[in-house]
Amino acid sequence: MRNQPSISWPASDFSRIPFAAYCDPAVYEEEQERIFRGPTWNYLALEAELPDEGDFLSTKVGETPVVVCRDSDGVLHAFVNRCMHRGMLLCRERQGNSENFICPYHQWTYDLTGQLRAVPFPRGVNGEGGLPEDFDRGKIHLQELKVEKFKGVIFGTFSDATEPLIDYLGPEVVYEIERLFHKPIRILGYQRQRIFGNWKLYNDNVRDPNHGGLLHMFHATFGLYRLSQKGGAKLDARGRHNITWNSLGTDDEKTTSEGYEGTKKVYKPKFSLNDMSILQNRTEHPDDVTLVILSVFPNVVFQQIANSLCTRQIRSEGTDRMELYWTYYGYADDDEEMTRHRLDQANLVGPGGLISMEDGEAVELVQVAIQREQDKHAMVEIGGTGKIETQKSLVTEVPIRGFYSYYCELMGFPTGTEAAAE
Ligand SMILES: [Fe+2]
């Protein structure tokens, strides 16, 4: 039996996050069951990565290795990446094309629908050894996840109780995905990043529009994102997903200077770059939105920063360890120059990105500071502690409260049962 974690959320408005939630191994274990194998849709891959029959790739749902493939009829499948024989990791390649999956250990062979097709020496040798007479190969099938896709984005779920994908995403997220994937895409490349911090700290980070204009001084200094700009955070009806957005060039010097008054030492409005092209936004949409950080519970972020587009998949690896898997893309009809621009701008993000490197560091430094403070709490009050709903300002962290309202629901954690310890 699993060791049931018992963490009380001290405030029913989710304005306090117990640090134990980021550190307790029992919580982490339970999350693998209740969140990643629970009634959630987990991002798996982009359809553009698997254009042909026989294409496959390795991915993760939480800590579970998963393989996604396109069978000979063009149908997408997702399986736990584990041989049904003795539990060996079936597919060790990151990506490829094959007619089948052959387990390296004993060469049990599965077709692209996950059906066991062949076992070496099934009848042994000279009537000795081999599989028993009643062994039914037809009944052996890789453990399959239910798969749904929307606009070329592939999601999977372990649970039969999960609502249809479109309902899970909700109209706000559906709108943003349709906007970002408004025409066929082309994969440009990948980056992987190990962050020594809890996977939820990264979810907090991307639901925190406030930090975007503070931690990231490149953003603030060069105007890609400032708290004084037009922007906000759109939440779905349940508050579990978030869309942070802004429009560059919508602030004025007075509001900006006043707002950053206390941070004068780091905000240097006079700074410049020798080559400003990395900041250039080439309009691609009828709206004036130049940045979108769309976070879908529990494991994916979709990014538009000017013309840099990517997905960031969150892969938990323990209480204090996660991998962030970045998939960069452009549109299939981009010319070479536009592709170059997107790749140049990709330098803003990723493990060593001019903006994103600070996020990994922030997550790690929180983890270090809270490890021995598990009876204490994080305070989440910016934007108010009222209703969890869409925010018209970037100076807010309400979407974090939204994340934990749904998280606690799935985890079965009691809320508001004790006063916040302050
Ligand atoms: Fe950030």
Side-chain angles (χ1 to χ4, degrees):
M1 248 184 79
R2 290 196 305 274
N3 182 15
Q4 289 287 336
S6 58
I7 292 187
S8 301
W9 243 250
S12 54
D13 57 16
F14 304 97
S15 63
R16 295 293 181 276
I17 308 166
F19 290 143
Y22 303 112
C23 307
D24 185 337
V27 170
Y28 179 80
E29 285 303 311
E30 199 70 5
E31 287 169 351
Q32 296 301 309
E33 293 304 318
R34 294 200 187 212
I35 308 284
F36 296 109
R37 289 176 181 242
T40 59
W41 283 105
N42 286 266
Y43 169 84
L44 298 177
L46 296 172
E47 227 182 334
E49 296 173 278
L50 303 147
D52 301 320
E53 294 161 11
D55 284 349
F56 68 86
L57 60 81
S58 302
T59 184
K60 290 270 187 79
V61 170
E63 216 173 79
T64 306
V66 167
V67 60
V68 185
C69 71
R70 191 182 289 280
D71 73 15
S72 51
D73 295 322
V75 179
L76 290 165
H77 298 270
F79 311 109
V80 174
N81 190 356
R82 169 181 64 85
C83 180
M84 300 307 285
H85 177 209
R86 296 264 295 282
M88 171 82 171
L89 194 73
L90 184 62
C91 172
R92 292 178 300 165
E93 294 158 272
R94 202 179 59 74
Q95 210 164 351
N97 183 281
S98 181
E99 287 175 1
N100 48 35
F101 298 111
I102 304 174
C103 180
Y105 204 171
H106 305 92
Q107 295 173 28
W108 285 32
T109 301
Y110 302 84
D111 67 21
L112 296 170
T113 71
Q115 180 63 53
L116 179 64
R117 288 290 171 198
V119 175
F121 295 98
R123 297 284 158 255
V125 176
N126 297 329
E128 297 290 335
L131 290 165
E133 283 295 328
D134 60 355
F135 182 86
D136 186 354
R137 208 173 54 191
K139 285 190 178 151
I140 310 288
H141 196 278
L142 296 175
Q143 186 183 341
E144 190 155 14
L145 284 76
K146 193 170 154 191
V147 168
E148 279 193 31
K149 57 183 181 173
F150 179 65
K151 300 297 284 181
V153 185
I154 308 167
F155 292 86
T157 185
F158 276 95
S159 170
D160 292 332
T162 313
E163 62 203 292
L165 176 63
I166 223 80
D167 298 340
Y168 180 80
L169 297 173
E172 297 84 1
V173 174
V174 161
Y175 174 85
E176 293 301 334
I177 293 182
E178 281 178 333
R179 179 181 173 280
L180 289 171
F181 296 90
H182 69 287
K183 53 184 176 175
I185 64 159
R186 186 157 65 89
I187 304 297
L188 299 181
Y190 301 91
Q191 289 198 84
R192 298 165 72 177
Q193 176 178 12
R194 179 148 291 120
I195 299 175
F196 291 95
N198 187 275
W199 68 278
K200 296 191 298 301
L201 288 173
Y202 194 77
N203 267 293
D204 299 351
N205 176 277
V206 289
R207 284 171 176 77
D208 173 13
N210 188 47
H211 93 279
L214 299 170
L215 174 71
H216 304 307
M217 291 318 296
F218 189 95
H219 256 334
T221 300
F222 298 114
L224 284 172
Y225 182 105
R226 288 190 192 117
L227 297 178
S228 42
Q229 288 169 344
K230 179 176 139 190
K234 279 187 263 178
L235 276 73
D236 65 307
R238 311 222 13 200
R240 56 192 170 186
H241 317 306
N242 175 56
I243 303 143
T244 295
W245 67 275
N246 84 312
S247 305
L248 63 78
T250 52
D251 51 347
D252 59 74
E253 181 55 34
K254 185 172 174 291
T255 319
T256 305
S257 293
E258 280 173 12
Y260 285 102
E261 182 67 25
T263 62
K264 257 183 186 160
K265 286 198 176 74
V266 277
Y267 170 51
K268 313 248 190 229
K270 298 282 184 283
F271 267 32
S272 184
L273 296 171
N274 284 335
D275 180 357
M276 299 290 269
S277 63
I278 196 169
L279 305 175
Q280 192 184 75
N281 177 62
R282 301 184 187 176
T283 305
E284 299 192 79
H285 300 280
D287 55 42
D288 63 352
V289 175
T290 53
L291 175 145
V292 169
I293 302 293
L294 160 60
S295 308
V296 175
F297 190 100
N299 80 330
V300 70
V301 181
F302 299 89
Q303 168 203 309
Q304 175 212 344
I305 299 180
N307 305 107
S308 168
L309 304 169
C310 71
T311 66
R312 313 173 186 174
Q313 186 192 33
I314 300 165
R315 301 174 172 185
S316 68
E317 293 185 334
T319 53
D320 57 358
R321 190 174 142 130
M322 58 164 276
E323 184 183 56
L324 200 56
Y325 197 93
W326 303 73
T327 302
Y328 298 86
Y329 67 91
Y331 297 111
D333 63 0
D334 286 347
D335 61 19
E336 213 179 310
E337 208 275 323
M338 187 61 175
T339 300
R340 192 70 255 162
H341 176 57
R342 290 196 205 280
L343 288 171
D344 284 347
Q345 217 157 47
N347 285 301
L348 294 171
V349 295
L354 296 166
I355 297 163
S356 296
M357 65 178 161
E358 291 121 353
D359 292 320
E361 192 72 2
V363 165
E364 294 192 355
L365 294 178
V366 172
Q367 192 77 40
V368 163
I370 65 174
Q371 201 63 37
R372 295 291 156 211
E373 304 287 333
Q374 293 188 34
D375 57 336
K376 312 286 193 318
H377 312 90
M379 189 192 301
V380 187
E381 294 197 9
I382 296 173
T385 56
K387 195 171 176 219
I388 295 168
E389 59 187 355
T390 289
Q391 302 289 296
K392 292 185 180 134
S393 159
L394 293 169
V395 189
T396 185
E397 52 195 3
V398 167
I400 298 175
R401 292 168 50 224
F403 176 88
Y404 286 105
S405 68
Y406 188 56
Y407 170 85
C408 285
E409 186 183 321
L410 291 182
M411 292 291 283
F413 284 145
T415 56
T417 49
E418 53 188 53
E422 290 186 281

